Amino acid sequence: LEPKRTKIEKLVRLQGLIGKLNFLFELPLKLKECIRADNLSEAVSLYKMAAPILEKYSHVASFAAISRESKNMVKDLERKLNESLTEKSQSPQDFNELIRLVLLMNHQEGTKTQNTSYDYECEFKKVTKELSEKFADWHTDR
């Protein structure tokens, strides 16, 4: 039984690896679909899940290509998030969710180019200031 069990365990691990690779290869298309459907939360979640893996294996040509395509989709996502923040008809809950998503997109942990805490703090202050201004604009129109 031991040889069969070992073989089955290898097959199960291989199936899991294939599933993860399939997720990465489908990522640009899934991001595009989420953005089109205004499912911005799902798009942010998918990208944040895949970004560390894509960066870790960026030296592999196929992963680099997926990363490039995904980053193009992320530019669209960020543009859509910023456009949504300027809409005056947002409910407070929707506005808070958009702010959460923008902050998530701007928080990059574990990247190769480890930012110093000073760099991170400066970037955080910049994003926070921009969001505060958008909130002030949104709030005064209510």
Side-chain angles (χ1 to χ4, degrees), residues 1-14:
L1 274 182
E2 185 62 35
K4 288 184 180 184
R5 180 179 310 167
T6 303
K7 188 173 183 175
I8 290 172
E9 287 172 352
K10 285 181 183 179
L11 290 172
V12 167
R13 283 194 302 269
L14 183 60

Side-chain angles (χ1 to χ4, degrees), residues 44 47 74 77-78 81 101-108:
V44 169
Y47 181 71
V74 166
L77 173 59
E78 289 172 339
L81 284 169
L101 294 174
V102 169
L103 290 173
L104 267 174
M105 288 300 297
N106 284 288
H107 178 71
Q108 298 182 3

Side-chain angles (χ1 to χ4, degrees), residues 67-81:
S67 182
R68 271 191 310 278
E69 289 178 46
S70 297
K71 285 179 181 176
N72 287 335
M73 291 291 102
V74 166
K75 287 178 186 175
D76 291 342
L77 173 59
E78 289 172 339
R79 188 173 23 258
K80 187 116 178 183
L81 284 169

Side-chain angles (χ1 to χ4, degrees), residues 68-133:
R68 271 191 310 278
E69 289 178 46
S70 297
K71 285 179 181 176
N72 287 335
M73 291 291 102
V74 166
K75 287 178 186 175
D76 291 342
L77 173 59
E78 289 172 339
R79 188 173 23 258
K80 187 116 178 183
L81 284 169
N82 284 318
E83 287 171 3
S84 296
L85 280 171
T86 60
E87 290 178 15
K88 307 300 182 191
S89 61
Q90 296 287 345
S91 71
Q93 294 82 6
D94 291 342
F95 193 80
N96 285 340
E97 176 64 7
L98 289 168
I99 289 175
R100 185 185 74 78
L101 294 174
V102 169
L103 290 173
L104 267 174
M105 288 300 297
N106 284 288
H107 178 71
Q108 298 182 3
E109 51 191 69
T111 59
K112 269 190 209 172
T113 57
Q114 286 287 335
N115 293 338
T116 64
S117 66
Y118 176 77
D119 292 338
Y120 178 74
E121 187 176 327
C122 289
E123 183 63 24
F124 182 77
K125 284 180 181 178
K126 178 182 158 200
V127 170
T128 304
K129 182 179 181 211
E130 290 172 5
L131 290 174
S132 295
E133 290 169 357

